[in-house]
Amino acid sequence: MLISYTLRDQRKINLCLKRSAKKNIIIRPVSQEQISINIPPHLSERKLRLWLSTNEHILEQTLARSPNTEAQASAPAYIWFQGEPCTLKQHEHAYIKHDHGLLWLPEQPWTQQQLHLKHYLYQHASQRLLPRLQAHATHLDLFLPAAALTNAKTLWGVCRRTTGIRLNWRLIGAPDCVVDYVCIHELCHLTHANHSSHFWALVNQHTSHTTAAKAWLKQYGNELFRLG
């Protein structure tokens, strides 16, 4: 539950309230405008506000420990795009341009650049990943019910026989061999809805990139999430 609280200096902050503490009030910083506060279930909101007004110095100390989101809002050194680590540069135009290991971004604050860059990468993912998936399905003579992109934070792809396959749009940053492996991996789940020896035999029958692709994702996969 989120409640609003006004400090003596008239600053308004949000309190993310949880009622799972056994005995003591537990406070943690979330941002410079929000605090997570865990209280015992029996503590009323009136008594909580009384405690807050008496212990505002604790709130101020907690806010002082919160991350400075403005300071953190800076662009990374590079972004992976189609298997290539691309350095981010700025130019005066209002569009994004990819050119020999560079991604040229409009001259804007990083928060705005980030939104434009995610949209740019998502569009390219749709144009590159989904046709590649369909091409593999045709080559394997498999019926693909549907194909779409997903924003999953833990999976590179997901397959369901009735609704089809979804690929993580962040795979636009991976090399072709990695994309091909993920496509074939998910397509093989149309035949084997598990990770049995028969499943892996089928995967390896249709791609020789299994080991290399797994190694690449293990080494660089986290870097594909730099835009969230």
Side-chain angles (χ1 to χ4, degrees):
M1 183 174 68
L2 203 64
I3 64 174
S4 178
Y5 182 81
T6 304
L7 298 169
R8 289 194 184 94
D9 60 7
Q10 300 307 306
R11 279 186 298 159
K12 290 187 176 181
I13 62 173
N14 291 321
L15 305 178
C16 184
L17 188 62
K18 301 177 183 178
R19 292 183 175 273
S20 57
K22 292 184 177 180
K23 183 177 180 181
N24 300 319
I25 296 175
I26 303 171
I27 295 180
R28 295 186 180 90
V30 176
S31 70
Q32 294 188 326
E33 295 83 28
Q34 185 167 315
I35 290 174
S36 171
I37 181 164
N38 197 344
I39 64 174
H42 59 78
L43 187 68
S44 67
E45 186 172 329
R46 184 184 66 81
K47 289 185 178 180
L48 171 63
R49 289 186 178 276
L50 178 61
W51 184 91
L52 292 171
S53 64
T54 307
N55 294 277
E56 276 203 5
H57 64 286
I58 297 179
L59 298 182
E60 291 171 352
Q61 291 171 1
T62 303
L63 289 169
R65 300 199 312 269
S66 65
N68 187 333
T69 53
E70 291 184 1
Q72 290 182 341
S74 58
Y78 64 90
I79 292 291
W80 284 94
F81 182 60
Q82 296 183 354
E84 183 181 37
C86 294
T87 303
L88 301 182
K89 297 287 187 180
Q90 296 195 57
H91 64 169
E92 68 276 13
H93 304 293
Y95 57 85
I96 296 176
K97 179 182 178 183
H98 174 231
D99 182 29
H100 297 96
L102 299 175
L103 273 171
W104 293 91
L105 307 179
E107 290 181 338
Q108 298 172 331
W110 168 240
T111 51
Q112 292 177 271
Q113 290 178 333
Q114 188 175 13
L115 292 176
H116 292 311
L117 187 53
K118 287 179 74 171
H119 179 70
Y120 177 86
L121 296 177
Y122 193 95
Q123 281 189 317
H124 278 267
S126 180
Q127 295 166 6
R128 176 175 176 241
L129 303 183
L130 299 183
R132 206 172 188 95
L133 175 63
Q134 185 59 63
H136 282 297
T138 301
H139 179 73
L140 272 59
D141 196 25
L142 291 171
F143 171 70
L144 181 59
L149 299 178
T150 176
N151 191 41
K153 298 297 177 66
T154 58
L155 298 172
W156 296 116
V158 61
C159 173
R160 293 185 176 89
R161 292 178 181 175
T162 54
T163 57
I165 292 174
R166 290 179 292 165
L167 298 177
N168 196 311
W169 68 266
R170 298 171 185 84
L171 285 169
I172 190 60
D176 287 347
C177 66
V178 174
V179 174
D180 289 338
Y181 160 71
V182 175
C183 287
I184 290 171
H185 181 115
E186 298 307 327
L187 285 166
C188 288
H189 277 311
L190 292 172
T191 305
H192 300 284
N194 51 44
H195 288 96
S196 64
S197 59
H198 296 292
F199 165 80
W200 286 113
L202 188 60
V203 170
N204 294 326
Q205 177 184 337
H206 295 294
T207 177
S208 60
H209 303 310
T210 300
T211 301
K214 284 183 174 182
W216 194 94
L217 289 171
K218 183 177 181 180
Q219 184 172 359
Y220 301 110
N222 287 339
E223 296 184 11
L224 301 185
F225 288 84
R226 283 182 167 174
L227 297 180

mmCIF file of all heavy atoms in Angstrom, residues 12 25 35 43 46 60-61 86-87 89 112 119 132 160-161 184 197 209:
data_model
loop_
_atom_site.group_PDB
_atom_site.id
_atom_site.type_symbol
_atom_site.label_atom_id
_atom_site.label_comp_id
_atom_site.label_asym_id
_atom_site.label_seq_id
_atom_site.Cartn_x
_atom_site.Cartn_y
_atom_site.Cartn_z
ATOM 1 N N LYS A 12 6.977 16.345 0.243
ATOM 2 C CA LYS A 12 6.056 15.208 0.233
ATOM 3 C C LYS A 12 6.793 13.958 -0.240
ATOM 4 O O LYS A 12 7.495 13.990 -1.245
ATOM 5 C CB LYS A 12 4.868 15.499 -0.687
ATOM 6 C CG LYS A 12 3.928 16.558 -0.127
ATOM 7 C CD LYS A 12 2.688 16.690 -0.983
ATOM 8 C CE LYS A 12 1.717 17.696 -0.352
ATOM 9 N NZ LYS A 12 0.471 17.843 -1.151
ATOM 10 N N ILE A 25 9.570 -1.748 13.528
ATOM 11 C CA ILE A 25 9.350 -1.039 12.269
ATOM 12 C C ILE A 25 10.653 -1.069 11.472
ATOM 13 O O ILE A 25 11.718 -0.718 11.989
ATOM 14 C CB ILE A 25 8.901 0.412 12.536
ATOM 15 C CG1 ILE A 25 7.540 0.423 13.239
ATOM 16 C CG2 ILE A 25 8.849 1.212 11.240
ATOM 17 C CD1 ILE A 25 7.077 1.803 13.648
ATOM 18 N N ILE A 35 10.070 5.734 0.472
ATOM 19 C CA ILE A 35 10.659 4.870 1.499
ATOM 20 C C ILE A 35 9.779 3.629 1.635
ATOM 21 O O ILE A 35 8.549 3.723 1.605
ATOM 22 C CB ILE A 35 10.754 5.605 2.859
ATOM 23 C CG1 ILE A 35 11.818 6.697 2.810
ATOM 24 C CG2 ILE A 35 11.070 4.630 3.992
ATOM 25 C CD1 ILE A 35 11.863 7.552 4.062
ATOM 26 N N LEU A 43 -0.307 -2.568 14.090
ATOM 27 C CA LEU A 43 -0.048 -1.139 14.233
ATOM 28 C C LEU A 43 -0.987 -0.346 13.326
ATOM 29 O O LEU A 43 -1.000 -0.532 12.115
ATOM 30 C CB LEU A 43 1.408 -0.829 13.879
ATOM 31 C CG LEU A 43 1.857 0.611 14.141
ATOM 32 C CD1 LEU A 43 1.879 0.886 15.642
ATOM 33 C CD2 LEU A 43 3.249 0.854 13.553
ATOM 34 N N ARG A 46 -2.858 5.558 12.329
ATOM 35 C CA ARG A 46 -2.763 6.727 13.218
ATOM 36 C C ARG A 46 -1.517 6.648 14.081
ATOM 37 O O ARG A 46 -0.772 7.628 14.208
ATOM 38 C CB ARG A 46 -4.014 6.824 14.096
ATOM 39 C CG ARG A 46 -4.049 8.064 14.984
ATOM 40 C CD ARG A 46 -5.254 8.048 15.899
ATOM 41 N NE ARG A 46 -5.181 6.963 16.867
ATOM 42 C CZ ARG A 46 -4.463 7.017 17.999
ATOM 43 N NH1 ARG A 46 -3.763 8.102 18.297
ATOM 44 N NH2 ARG A 46 -4.450 5.988 18.825
ATOM 45 N N GLU A 60 14.679 11.257 7.398
ATOM 46 C CA GLU A 60 15.646 12.066 6.651
ATOM 47 C C GLU A 60 16.956 11.313 6.450
ATOM 48 O O GLU A 60 17.567 11.385 5.378
ATOM 49 C CB GLU A 60 15.882 13.383 7.399
ATOM 50 C CG GLU A 60 14.657 14.298 7.378
ATOM 51 C CD GLU A 60 14.805 15.501 8.283
ATOM 52 O OE1 GLU A 60 15.794 15.547 9.052
ATOM 53 O OE2 GLU A 60 13.937 16.389 8.242
ATOM 54 N N GLN A 61 17.384 10.587 7.474
ATOM 55 C CA GLN A 61 18.605 9.785 7.329
ATOM 56 C C GLN A 61 18.404 8.680 6.287
ATOM 57 O O GLN A 61 19.309 8.376 5.511
ATOM 58 C CB GLN A 61 18.986 9.176 8.684
ATOM 59 C CG GLN A 61 19.462 10.188 9.709
ATOM 60 C CD GLN A 61 19.620 9.568 11.095
ATOM 61 O OE1 GLN A 61 19.389 8.374 11.299
ATOM 62 N NE2 GLN A 61 20.013 10.393 12.060
ATOM 63 N N CYS A 86 28.118 -1.807 -29.787
ATOM 64 C CA CYS A 86 28.102 -0.511 -30.475
ATOM 65 C C CYS A 86 28.255 0.635 -29.477
ATOM 66 O O CYS A 86 27.468 0.762 -28.536
ATOM 67 C CB CYS A 86 26.803 -0.336 -31.256
ATOM 68 S SG CYS A 86 26.622 -1.491 -32.631
ATOM 69 N N THR A 87 29.255 1.480 -29.704
ATOM 70 C CA THR A 87 29.460 2.659 -28.879
ATOM 71 C C THR A 87 28.355 3.673 -29.156
ATOM 72 O O THR A 87 27.938 3.858 -30.300
ATOM 73 C CB THR A 87 30.828 3.297 -29.201
ATOM 74 O OG1 THR A 87 31.856 2.320 -28.998
ATOM 75 C CG2 THR A 87 31.100 4.484 -28.294
ATOM 76 N N LYS A 89 26.959 7.383 -29.491
ATOM 77 C CA LYS A 89 27.394 8.737 -29.803
ATOM 78 C C LYS A 89 26.173 9.615 -30.014
ATOM 79 O O LYS A 89 25.085 9.124 -30.277
ATOM 80 C CB LYS A 89 28.260 8.753 -31.067
ATOM 81 C CG LYS A 89 29.564 7.967 -30.947
ATOM 82 C CD LYS A 89 30.578 8.680 -30.083
ATOM 83 C CE LYS A 89 31.925 7.970 -30.099
ATOM 84 N NZ LYS A 89 32.932 8.657 -29.253
ATOM 85 N N GLN A 112 15.394 10.193 -22.257
ATOM 86 C CA GLN A 112 14.669 10.249 -23.521
ATOM 87 C C GLN A 112 15.347 9.376 -24.579
ATOM 88 O O GLN A 112 14.682 8.666 -25.337
ATOM 89 C CB GLN A 112 14.579 11.697 -24.013
ATOM 90 C CG GLN A 112 13.692 12.584 -23.147
ATOM 91 C CD GLN A 112 13.700 14.005 -23.645
ATOM 92 O OE1 GLN A 112 14.528 14.829 -23.270
ATOM 93 N NE2 GLN A 112 12.748 14.303 -24.517
ATOM 94 N N HIS A 119 12.719 1.590 -28.496
ATOM 95 C CA HIS A 119 11.772 1.499 -29.602
ATOM 96 C C HIS A 119 12.489 1.090 -30.888
ATOM 97 O O HIS A 119 11.989 0.236 -31.640
ATOM 98 C CB HIS A 119 11.072 2.846 -29.794
ATOM 99 C CG HIS A 119 10.085 2.865 -30.924
ATOM 100 N ND1 HIS A 119 8.899 2.179 -30.880
ATOM 101 C CD2 HIS A 119 10.128 3.473 -32.145
ATOM 102 C CE1 HIS A 119 8.236 2.370 -32.010
ATOM 103 N NE2 HIS A 119 8.962 3.140 -32.801
ATOM 104 N N ARG A 132 13.114 -14.753 -39.059
ATOM 105 C CA ARG A 132 14.120 -15.806 -38.916
ATOM 106 C C ARG A 132 13.503 -17.038 -38.251
ATOM 107 O O ARG A 132 13.792 -18.181 -38.631
ATOM 108 C CB ARG A 132 15.297 -15.276 -38.098
ATOM 109 C CG ARG A 132 16.623 -15.960 -38.381
ATOM 110 C CD ARG A 132 17.756 -15.244 -37.669
ATOM 111 N NE ARG A 132 19.032 -15.800 -38.089
ATOM 112 C CZ ARG A 132 19.785 -15.294 -39.053
ATOM 113 N NH1 ARG A 132 19.387 -14.213 -39.708
ATOM 114 N NH2 ARG A 132 20.937 -15.849 -39.385
ATOM 115 N N ARG A 160 4.598 -22.548 -26.615
ATOM 116 C CA ARG A 160 3.388 -23.284 -26.241
ATOM 117 C C ARG A 160 2.742 -23.777 -27.523
ATOM 118 O O ARG A 160 2.579 -23.007 -28.474
ATOM 119 C CB ARG A 160 2.434 -22.393 -25.437
ATOM 120 C CG ARG A 160 2.996 -22.006 -24.078
ATOM 121 C CD ARG A 160 1.976 -21.227 -23.250
ATOM 122 N NE ARG A 160 2.486 -20.954 -21.916
ATOM 123 C CZ ARG A 160 3.203 -19.881 -21.599
ATOM 124 N NH1 ARG A 160 3.491 -18.984 -22.525
ATOM 125 N NH2 ARG A 160 3.639 -19.702 -20.362
ATOM 126 N N ARG A 161 2.379 -25.025 -27.532
ATOM 127 C CA ARG A 161 1.875 -25.632 -28.768
ATOM 128 C C ARG A 161 0.622 -24.959 -29.287
ATOM 129 O O ARG A 161 0.370 -24.945 -30.489
ATOM 130 C CB ARG A 161 1.617 -27.124 -28.537
ATOM 131 C CG ARG A 161 2.892 -27.937 -28.325
ATOM 132 C CD ARG A 161 2.581 -29.392 -28.049
ATOM 133 N NE ARG A 161 3.800 -30.174 -27.830
ATOM 134 C CZ ARG A 161 3.805 -31.449 -27.482
ATOM 135 N NH1 ARG A 161 2.657 -32.087 -27.332
ATOM 136 N NH2 ARG A 161 4.956 -32.082 -27.297
ATOM 137 N N ILE A 184 15.620 -22.440 -32.915
ATOM 138 C CA ILE A 184 15.526 -23.894 -33.068
ATOM 139 C C ILE A 184 15.182 -24.556 -31.737
ATOM 140 O O ILE A 184 14.389 -25.500 -31.679
ATOM 141 C CB ILE A 184 16.844 -24.443 -33.654
ATOM 142 C CG1 ILE A 184 16.967 -23.993 -35.111
ATOM 143 C CG2 ILE A 184 16.902 -25.968 -33.560
ATOM 144 C CD1 ILE A 184 18.303 -24.278 -35.746
ATOM 145 N N SER A 197 16.506 -36.053 -23.265
ATOM 146 C CA SER A 197 17.602 -36.385 -24.191
ATOM 147 C C SER A 197 17.114 -36.369 -25.635
ATOM 148 O O SER A 197 17.861 -36.007 -26.549
ATOM 149 C CB SER A 197 18.183 -37.757 -23.832
ATOM 150 O OG SER A 197 17.179 -38.769 -23.900
ATOM 151 N N HIS A 209 25.290 -24.944 -33.190
ATOM 152 C CA HIS A 209 25.692 -23.775 -32.394
ATOM 153 C C HIS A 209 25.313 -23.872 -30.920
ATOM 154 O O HIS A 209 25.479 -22.892 -30.190
ATOM 155 C CB HIS A 209 25.058 -22.505 -32.973
ATOM 156 C CG HIS A 209 25.393 -22.247 -34.397
ATOM 157 N ND1 HIS A 209 26.680 -22.267 -34.881
ATOM 158 C CD2 HIS A 209 24.589 -21.959 -35.462
ATOM 159 C CE1 HIS A 209 26.678 -21.992 -36.169
ATOM 160 N NE2 HIS A 209 25.425 -21.816 -36.554
#
